[in-house]
Amino acid sequence: MPDSTTSLPDRVGAFDALIIGAGFSGLYQLHCLRDRLGLSARVLEAGDGVGGTWYWNRYPGARCDSESHSYSYYFSEELLKEWEWSERYPEQPEILRYLNHVADRFDLRRDIRFGTRVTEARYDAAANRWHVSTEAGERFTAKFLITAVGCLSTANVPDIPGLDGFSGRWYHTGQWPREGVDFAGKRVGLIGTGSTGIQAAPVIAEAAAHLTVFQRTANYSVPARNAPLTPEFLRWAKDSSADLRRVMHSTTNGHPFTISERSALDATPEERRAAYEAAWEKGGLQFRAAFRDILTDKAANDTAAEFIRAKIREIVKDPETAAKLTNFDHPFAAKRPPIDTSYFEAFNRDNVSLVDVRASPIERITPRGVKTRDAEYGLDIIVFATGFDAMTGPLLKIDIRGRDGVPLREAWEAGPRTYLGLQVAGFPNLFTITGPGSPSVLCNMPVAIEQHVEWITGCIAHMQERGLERIEAEPDAADRWVEHVNEAADATLLPQASSSWYLGANVPGKPRVFMPYAGGMARYRGICDDVAAKGYEGFALSD
Ligand code: NA7
């Protein structure tokens, strides 16, 4: 279909499918719909380039926590063979280069419209079309609307009084300036000690005159043990792609390692220590895999927590700082567990200090810096590593209205309700890639994304073959799924981290609902395949 939209703002572009977002999800979805099904499809992307999360998160130290050989698309053998990662964990610029390579290799750019922020999407039942509007006033229509907006793309800047009057500069890590930030000679305050703050702190500490880390919740972290990849490893990863794919598809969280079948409680203290030592030395997210019950049994979890606490006390020389850093209020990995490169070591530097803002809360930002209950900290730069309005935020930021004009915001007033994380009852032909209720953030994201994109593509192909025009989740099926998502979460320790973004607890006023599906990626894939095999059970299909 010719592009009728490039030059004239108010012109309507009509497509078979519109995809919102050009990150990992949107790129692959475009490839599938356009090149495999032959549909006319257009990606609408707010940024000026591809990359999604990796386009916006350019903060110092930004790196993926999944290992590079698994943080890749696996749909194309040729792509797997030709791309060479340089390090165990890919850094943001390298991931961005990878996604640009993918966009070029599959000739995707011609169907992506950059600098185009979608503000509204309305379903017109009579025409069975989605009408999509952008910030610039452009309008598009399509039969299918697919959100590929990411789970962590709506920055959460806390509403701390006085920020407007701060005389220095401030930044959120998820909206980092392209030109970078010069920390030389500056007093920097870093608020937040999630994965992002933990990655950024040691890098900022090297450049800044002084770094003050404001910690509200002490966080566990395990060394990443990042290193350059050897030619032997790269060859092995390429030669083993079929095995790696199989392992990633068979595990709970889509990573290329398996979880031990042993309980931490069956091991002797010596065996346990040896297993944790080995996992600590190996580094990375697979620390969680040392025993099978770390995430399901509090007593087992306590053994991991105690091991990490002891390690931090060994690393951090000042006992008072070590005590603040290990004052955990949640089980290990009940919040997304960070992995780090010299995070705890950074607190041994003369130019780094830690402020416990749980003990002495931040009261306001003053023109000079941050004022807690007990002191004022003079700062030139404040970095907010305060996370995101996760999972629902990017969807609710768009005014999405389904059948009878019902806003998604209203349908989700009490928290997100989806069927399989893929569709919402009352919103026909809308698919939500890695939506709430799917494993997404509990999983190595490209694995979760490929599964969703392929399922959606299969579903649309099924409809095309049978002349079906409309698919919509049945309310009963969505209710049952929401119940199952809750049961799956309750079978783990995850809901015990009461301030976690998995629960929406980091955003004031957000309903507390456990959003991702904790039942495991492999099990989820089986459920989705089964639903499709049964003729899309739980979905109403019509012509
Ligand atoms: P996270 O994991 O949501 O971490 C945000 C951090 O910011 C966390 O330590 C919060 O403390 C802290 N925070 C948030 N608001 C405040 C205020 N008002 N005052 C002080 N501290 C605050 O976001 P990240 O960007 O680190 O990581 C997001 C995901 O990206 C990560 O999980 C990976 O999947 C990749 P809290 O714990 O809420 O007390």
Side-chain angles (χ1 to χ4, degrees):
M1 169 173 295
D3 179 3
S4 57
T5 62
T6 24
S7 51
L8 294 169
D10 283 320
R11 281 286 284 280
V12 169
F15 298 92
D16 295 325
L18 284 167
I19 300 161
I20 309 176
F24 261 97
S25 309
L27 293 179
Y28 185 34
Q29 189 67 77
L30 172 61
H31 175 58
C32 286
L33 295 185
R34 188 192 69 182
D35 302 334
R36 292 192 192 154
L37 301 191
L39 299 189
S40 68
R42 176 60 45 104
V43 176
L44 306 176
E45 165 58 53
D48 290 329
V50 302
T53 289
W54 301 105
Y55 175 90
W56 300 103
N57 281 267
R58 295 164 191 255
Y59 62 87
R63 196 179 277 288
C64 185
D65 288 347
S66 294
E67 298 192 42
S68 50
H69 65 292
S70 67
Y71 202 72
S72 303
Y73 290 111
Y74 266 68
F75 69 83
S76 159
E77 270 309 311
E78 296 75 24
L79 177 62
L80 277 167
K81 293 270 179 293
E82 74 201 12
W83 183 260
E84 299 251 296
W85 293 107
S86 67
E87 291 179 285
R88 180 172 174 189
Y89 304 95
E91 213 180 356
Q92 178 268 336
E94 192 170 22
I95 305 175
L96 203 52
R97 277 201 299 281
Y98 172 70
L99 291 172
N100 273 285
H101 170 74
V102 170
D104 291 333
R105 190 189 194 292
F106 296 98
D107 191 17
L108 300 175
R109 275 179 220 283
R110 65 185 159 91
D111 288 308
I112 305 174
R113 195 170 167 90
F114 294 108
T116 303
R117 185 175 290 281
V118 172
T119 50
E120 276 180 31
R122 282 157 206 272
Y123 177 68
D124 170 355
N128 190 33
R129 285 287 178 284
W130 280 92
H131 297 284
V132 170
S133 314
T134 72
E135 207 168 50
E138 294 162 315
R139 288 176 292 126
F140 301 85
T141 67
K143 180 158 67 172
F144 296 105
L145 177 62
I146 302 169
T147 59
V149 290
C151 297
L152 298 162
S153 51
T154 303
N156 171 41
V157 179
D159 189 14
I160 305 175
L163 184 57
D164 285 351
F166 179 54
S167 61
R169 309 296 301 263
W170 67 267
Y171 308 92
H172 186 280
T173 51
Q175 296 169 338
W176 204 254
R178 276 185 103 134
E179 64 281 8
V181 175
D182 183 8
F183 292 109
K186 299 285 197 286
R187 297 163 306 163
V188 182
L190 173 68
I191 302 181
T193 53
S195 300
T196 300
I198 282 178
Q199 284 187 339
V203 184
I204 297 175
E206 298 233 326
H210 190 89
L211 172 67
T212 307
V213 177
F214 295 91
Q215 170 192 281
R216 187 164 70 180
T217 304
N219 212 343
Y220 301 86
S221 182
V222 169
R225 310 256 181 243
N226 187 36
L229 293 174
T230 62
E232 293 72 38
F233 179 88
L234 289 168
R235 190 160 324 112
W236 169 82
K238 286 183 203 293
D239 292 347
S240 314
S241 60
D243 285 345
L244 286 165
R245 185 190 289 109
R246 193 180 40 72
V247 174
M248 292 193 291
H249 283 195
S250 68
T251 63
T252 307
N253 44 30
H255 285 289
F257 51 81
T258 47
I259 295 170
S260 166
E261 286 172 10
R262 192 166 188 201
S263 160
L265 303 175
D266 290 343
T268 64
E270 292 72 31
E271 288 168 340
R272 229 175 7 235
R273 195 168 323 111
Y276 285 140
E277 279 293 351
W280 184 266
E281 278 317 305
K282 188 147 202 174
L285 290 174
Q286 52 186 301
F287 187 88
R288 273 178 301 176
F291 293 103
R292 72 168 149 78
D293 44 3
I294 289 179
L295 257 185
T296 50
D297 185 309
K298 178 67 169 58
N301 191 285
D302 285 345
T303 65
E306 192 41 49
F307 177 86
I308 296 173
R309 194 178 282 119
K311 281 288 180 195
I312 298 169
R313 287 200 200 108
E314 254 173 52
I315 297 169
V316 178
K317 296 202 179 104
D318 173 39
E320 212 179 298
T321 304
K324 287 182 200 162
L325 287 167
T326 51
N327 188 18
F328 306 127
D329 71 351
H330 58 283
F332 165 62
K335 284 182 147 182
R336 167 67 156 71
I339 61 174
D340 69 275
T341 300
S342 307
Y343 173 65
F344 296 111
E345 288 82 349
F347 292 97
N348 293 332
R349 297 173 64 108
D350 292 339
N351 71 335
V352 177
S353 45
L354 180 69
V355 176
D356 178 353
V357 297
R358 173 75 53 94
S360 177
I362 296 176
E363 285 183 341
R364 56 184 298 106
I365 311 267
T366 68
R368 287 180 302 276
V370 169
K371 165 85 179 67
T372 66
R373 196 181 59 202
D374 299 312
E376 183 177 6
Y377 299 85
L379 301 168
D380 304 307
I381 295 175
I382 301 174
V383 175
F384 289 97
T386 44
F388 302 88
D389 181 354
M391 304 197 75
T392 51
L395 290 166
L396 295 178
K397 215 164 67 174
I398 303 168
D399 184 7
I400 301 178
R401 295 184 183 229
R403 193 188 285 290
D404 305 322
V406 173
L408 185 61
R409 189 167 280 283
E410 200 176 294
W412 284 3
E413 207 166 9
R417 300 185 75 74
T418 68
Y419 180 35
L420 302 171
L422 278 161
Q423 273 219 336
V424 184
F427 294 75
N429 291 359
L430 168 70
F431 293 99
T432 50
I433 303 178
T434 64
S438 74
S440 62
V441 291
L442 297 179
C443 188
N444 180 24
M445 282 304 279
V447 173
I449 287 167
E450 284 194 335
Q451 185 268 341
H452 260 199
V453 168
E454 285 161 12
W455 192 95
I456 292 166
T457 307
C459 175
I460 293 176
H462 171 94
M463 292 174 70
Q464 274 188 311
E465 284 155 19
R466 289 162 182 77
L468 297 166
E469 291 288 316
R470 202 183 316 242
I471 178 164
E472 182 178 349
E474 289 169 356
D476 286 358
D479 288 347
R480 280 195 301 277
W481 184 250
V482 170
E483 214 171 287
H484 179 57
V485 169
N486 287 331
E487 279 162 12
D490 289 341
T492 72
L493 301 174
L494 293 167
Q496 291 192 20
S498 57
S499 67
S500 131
W501 58 257
Y502 294 153
L503 273 165
N506 63 328
V507 175
K510 189 166 172 170
R512 295 213 176 184
V513 171
F514 194 85
M515 294 183 287
Y517 175 60
M521 187 62 215
R523 181 174 170 199
Y524 174 81
R525 181 187 298 276
I527 295 170
C528 290
D529 287 350
D530 194 46
V531 163
K534 289 180 177 154
Y536 295 89
E537 190 179 48
F539 291 95
L541 286 144
S542 55
D543 50 20

